[in-house]
Amino acid sequence: MDRIAAALGDAARWRIVELLAERPRSVGELAELTGLRQPQTSKHLQTLARAGLVTVFPLGQRRVHALEAQPLAALAGRLRELAEATEGHAGERDVVARYRAAIDRESAAADRDRWADGRSFAFERLLPGPPEVVWRHWAEPDLLVSWWVPPSMTITACVLEPRAGGRVLLGYRDADAEYHSEGRVLVAEEPAHLVFDLAVTGPASFTGHYDLRIEPGAGGTKLRLGLEITATTVDAVPFIAGIEPGWQQVLDHLADVLTERRA
């Protein structure tokens, strides 16, 4: 497949394939129709032949080249698979597009430090399992690390001590950068209520005040998460823009983890 894609990645060879799709042709005819010199045409045909796309038929003094349908059909099948996979993950592309649009909006508003102070967000989920299990996924490090960043990122540090004054620590990275946040627990009432502050460190910083409530719901556990931000720096635009899509992804991740553990 790699050889086929590489062979078709040249405009001249693509034109030769189009011409051969109509009928077998000689080197001279192909050179005339493409405007290439015969030596160039021969080299392109050799490349197509090595990829299995073209078969050469010596006919006396002439050499006629014919296109093979099977490699093209295989390529078409692979392209269909890629298109279907892309369509199946269209939601993830939409998240990136919304994030890009949010960065543009926030960049226009970020004209000074503390520009986004007081901004609040609210998230809700109906999660599988009882409140005690959901609480454990916030309070126990091994469970917390299983969901507390989007699947595309890797956690490097993760602590949430479920007691007043307990530490909160979150470090994670993607292929391009590392991020670090730290804070303190303010309220911990197992298994129903957890309040903590968490501040992103570095120049692009802000502090989030998180208020988590967990209660029985119809067929599972109702989770409500409130978030208010303070101490916003101008450089925090990407973080502020990413709060809504990021937490939606993270809570979806938590729901998936809880569902898998019940299966």
Side-chain angles (χ1 to χ4, degrees):
M1 195 62 63
D2 290 343
R3 289 195 301 271
I4 293 170
L8 294 174
D10 180 273
R13 288 196 289 272
W14 182 260
R15 179 57 180 150
I16 290 171
V17 166
E18 289 180 323
L19 292 168
L20 290 177
E22 298 172 356
R23 60 179 175 82
R25 299 179 189 268
S26 67
V27 175
E29 185 180 2
L30 289 168
E32 182 178 343
L33 291 170
T34 59
L36 299 170
R37 297 195 304 266
Q38 284 205 18
Q40 291 176 296
T41 306
S42 294
K43 286 184 178 180
H44 286 311
L45 287 166
Q46 289 167 8
T47 300
L48 293 169
R50 284 195 296 270
L53 288 161
V54 167
T55 298
V56 184
F57 293 93
L59 303 176
Q61 298 295 322
R62 301 174 65 236
R63 294 168 64 85
V64 174
H65 297 76
L67 193 61
E68 295 294 333
Q70 192 279 330
L72 293 174
L75 177 61
R78 181 58 181 145
L79 290 174
R80 279 195 299 272
E81 292 174 355
L82 292 173
E84 290 168 1
T86 301
E87 291 172 355
H89 294 87
E92 296 179 25
R93 183 194 180 282
D94 292 343
V95 168
V96 174
R98 291 200 304 273
Y99 183 28
R100 176 64 259 176
I103 289 176
D104 291 341
R105 290 195 302 272
E106 301 295 359
S107 295
D111 57 353
R112 65 192 184 284
D113 282 344
R114 310 193 76 92
W115 56 279
D117 284 16
R119 187 87 59 87
S120 62
F121 302 83
F123 306 94
E124 291 190 3
R125 283 292 187 285
L126 182 62
L127 300 171
E132 292 78 10
V133 172
V134 175
W135 175 272
R136 287 175 52 216
H137 279 76
W138 285 83
E140 297 181 14
D142 290 346
L143 297 178
L144 184 62
V145 77
S146 70
W147 66 269
W148 200 11
V149 295
S152 60
M153 296 181 174
T154 301
I155 289 181
T156 57
C158 189
V159 175
L160 196 158
E161 298 172 342
R163 56 179 174 78
R167 294 182 305 144
V168 185
L169 181 65
L170 176 63
Y172 58 97
R173 61 178 173 81
D174 56 21
D176 302 309
E178 293 194 10
Y179 311 90
H180 184 82
S181 303
E182 55 187 39
R184 292 288 173 184
V185 173
L186 305 176
V187 176
E189 299 172 354
E190 183 180 354
H193 193 199
L194 184 66
V195 180
F196 59 93
D197 287 334
L198 188 62
V200 176
T201 60
S205 64
F206 74 95
T207 298
H209 179 75
Y210 296 82
D211 190 326
L212 172 70
R213 296 182 183 271
I214 299 170
E215 60 187 41
T221 295
K222 190 171 186 177
L223 178 148
R224 296 177 180 175
L225 177 64
L227 166 59
E228 183 174 344
I229 57 177
T230 61
T232 321
T233 63
V234 171
D235 292 338
V237 163
F239 290 101
I240 304 304
I243 287 175
E244 191 277 333
W247 269 104
Q248 296 289 4
Q249 279 192 306
V250 166
L251 293 176
D252 286 346
H253 196 189
L254 172 59
D256 290 342
V257 167
L258 288 166
T259 299
E260 290 172 4
R261 292 185 187 279
R262 293 193 71 190

